[in-house]
Amino acid sequence: VAQLLEQASATCGLQDFGTGFEPGLAVLVDAIRADIPVTADNIQQLSGPILSLLVSRAHSERGWKQRPDCLGQPVRAPLVVTGIPRTGTTALHKLLSMDPQFQGLEQWLLGNPMPRPPRDTWSDNPLFRAAVRNQEGFLEAVPALRVSHEVNADEVDECLNLLAQSFVSHYPSTGFGLPRYDRWWREQDETPSYRRYADNLRLIGADAPGQRWLLKNPGHLTHLEALLAVFPDACIIQTHRDPARCIPSVCALIWPVRCFYQARETDPSVIGPRELELWAWSAERAQRVRESRPDRFLDVRFADFRRDPMAVVRSVYQRFGLELSPGTASRMQAWIADNPQHKHGRHEYDAQRFGLGEAMIHERFADYMRRHDLFER
């Protein structure tokens, strides 16, 4: 841990990482040592995401000292997209981000939290340029992500990296494969992580305090009670799809990433059972929260979004009292035309390769599928 902190300081030139993250980081480091053969071939890959989170924390701490005024700003009624991964959360999020009434979390600011600079200055910002290089390098190292989940530094991204600043998150274990960390994480309360996340939103939006937030993260599904404790007026869009389609798809997304981090070809069959149980458990937890706060939710089925995305957009705006201007509708139509499904190639996956079968997935998600009418006719 001390070595990681020293290296993160050397990377960003900052020494203050705040407090409260130390237990999670210690558990993570111990789990890596116990669950992964750490060698000269993979130590850089394994250290990289941890260092990025520490650098991100340091930028947050500096930002709050420089702009303490932002911490008193409310985050009112954020529009939040969540759902089991591969259910259309990313496409819906990016489509909604065409509306200038919203502000979102651009990917480069997740690693460098600061008051969002004017967009026309980004190309001259060394932190932005470094984020572009790093993202391109990661896509070159894991080219499968260009097809399954390409992210660009100047576009909105999910909240996961900000939430993971506290090192209480499913993020490390998903990428690395850490059963010991998973067991610890499942017993933790993520409410403190959400409070820090809210302060990061206040920092990044410090110069636009009245602009409504548009947020997205499949992992919110697991911790809706913490999300609503911190943002009680959140407007939550939950996306749905047959889990026999989305669970193997997320496994196929994770496997090349895990091979990269471990610097070896890992066994894909260990990924499926973990993802199946994680997201079934998350859906069950979400349902309990939904039953206590039904007024905060709107359901969107993947099939409906693919068939008529603008009809789904209109239902979102109607449900949460938003105005869809003609100009915004035109921008959204242009985005739809420019981003057809399979734009970068078809994402292929095989459930059996990941230790799964359709009947097994349907059995574990039977109640969820009935509730949201996801059985094929």
Side-chain angles (χ1 to χ4, degrees):
V1 170
Q3 190 176 16
L4 287 165
L5 291 170
E6 182 180 350
Q7 193 171 348
S9 288
T11 299
C12 64
L14 303 171
Q15 287 77 43
D16 184 3
F17 299 98
T19 60
F21 68 96
E22 299 90 344
L25 179 56
V27 172
L28 174 58
V29 168
D30 288 345
I32 291 172
R33 288 172 172 160
D35 292 340
I36 301 173
V38 180
T39 68
D41 293 329
N42 64 17
I43 193 166
Q44 232 180 343
Q45 289 94 316
L46 293 168
S47 300
I50 302 173
L51 293 171
S52 294
L53 291 174
L54 288 170
V55 168
S56 178
R57 282 189 65 92
H59 278 285
S60 299
E61 296 295 330
R62 179 175 66 174
W64 293 324
K65 288 186 180 72
Q66 293 176 340
R67 290 292 303 271
D69 58 294
C70 76
L71 295 175
Q73 296 172 357
V75 179
R76 291 195 177 93
L79 191 63
V80 180
V81 181
T82 190
I84 296 168
R86 318 304 291 171
T87 56
T89 56
T90 299
L92 179 56
H93 179 221
K94 290 191 175 183
L95 179 59
L96 292 171
S97 76
M98 296 298 103
D99 190 337
Q101 75 173 291
F102 300 125
Q103 60 177 319
L105 289 169
E106 289 84 8
Q107 193 264 353
W108 77 282
L109 290 172
L110 298 176
N112 309 282
M114 68 179 80
R116 186 186 295 103
R119 186 173 281 267
D120 61 5
T121 68
W122 291 5
S123 61
D124 296 323
N125 189 309
L127 293 175
F128 173 75
R129 293 201 302 268
V132 171
R133 289 194 302 271
N134 291 340
Q135 183 61 21
E136 185 59 31
F138 187 59
L139 290 173
E140 288 177 3
V142 191
L145 292 184
R146 290 191 189 276
V147 174
S148 58
H149 189 66
E150 184 175 15
V151 174
N152 296 306
D154 62 345
E155 293 181 346
V156 292
D157 198 6
E158 61 192 34
C159 319
L160 182 57
N161 282 21
L162 279 186
L163 280 165
Q165 277 191 357
S166 298
F167 292 95
V168 181
S169 169
H170 74 86
Y171 168 63
S173 195
T174 297
F176 294 167
L178 302 171
R180 293 171 193 247
Y181 182 88
D182 257 347
R183 289 192 292 271
W184 173 82
W185 164 71
R186 277 189 175 229
E187 300 300 320
Q188 305 309 304
D189 176 11
E190 285 207 27
T191 307
S193 298
Y194 274 87
R195 293 194 185 104
R196 183 181 179 91
Y197 161 68
D199 284 343
N200 269 303
L201 296 182
R202 295 181 175 101
L203 174 63
I204 294 169
D207 294 328
Q211 191 174 10
R212 194 167 186 170
W213 278 98
L214 169 66
L215 306 167
K216 170 255 178 177
N217 182 23
H220 289 321
L221 195 67
T222 317
H223 296 285
L224 287 177
E225 75 290 349
L227 174 75
L228 285 168
V230 176
F231 308 109
D233 57 354
C235 302
I236 303 171
I237 307 164
Q238 185 176 346
T239 55
H240 306 279
R241 185 186 185 187
D242 180 352
R245 308 281 81 78
C246 54
I247 298 299
S249 179
V250 75
C251 293
L253 174 67
I254 291 168
W255 183 71
V257 174
R258 189 167 297 180
C259 291
F260 167 75
Y261 284 135
Q262 295 196 20
R264 63 192 178 96
E265 187 161 313
T266 62
D267 179 2
S269 69
V270 305
I271 295 175
R274 188 257 186 184
E275 296 307 308
L276 174 62
E277 184 53 36
L278 168 61
W279 295 109
W281 176 67
S282 298
E284 291 163 354
R285 287 168 59 90
Q287 183 57 32
R288 290 194 291 272
V289 176
R290 286 174 57 114
E291 288 170 358
S292 65
R293 299 292 306 276
D295 58 309
R296 306 317 311 162
F297 291 86
L298 173 70
D299 294 306
V300 170
R301 289 191 296 185
F302 179 84
D304 295 335
F305 179 69
R306 283 299 173 200
R307 182 170 53 251
D308 191 344
M310 286 307 298
V312 167
V313 167
R314 287 190 289 271
S315 72
V316 169
Y317 280 60
Q318 181 179 11
R319 172 69 180 80
F320 295 119
L322 300 166
E323 181 181 352
L324 181 62
S325 71
T328 292
S330 295
R331 282 188 292 273
M332 289 181 173
Q333 292 282 14
W335 186 91
I336 292 166
D338 290 342
N339 293 273
Q341 192 177 15
H342 313 308
K343 176 179 179 178
H344 298 291
R346 186 174 290 275
H347 183 218
E348 303 289 354
Y349 46 87
D350 176 9
Q352 292 185 341
R353 185 166 184 253
F354 300 106
L356 301 173
E358 183 173 295
M360 177 196 310
I361 297 170
H362 281 172
E363 181 179 2
R364 183 66 183 85
F365 278 95
D367 289 343
Y368 167 81
M369 293 183 69
R370 279 193 293 270
R371 184 173 292 112
H372 298 289
D373 191 20
L374 298 173
F375 289 100
E376 294 183 3
R377 294 179 176 83

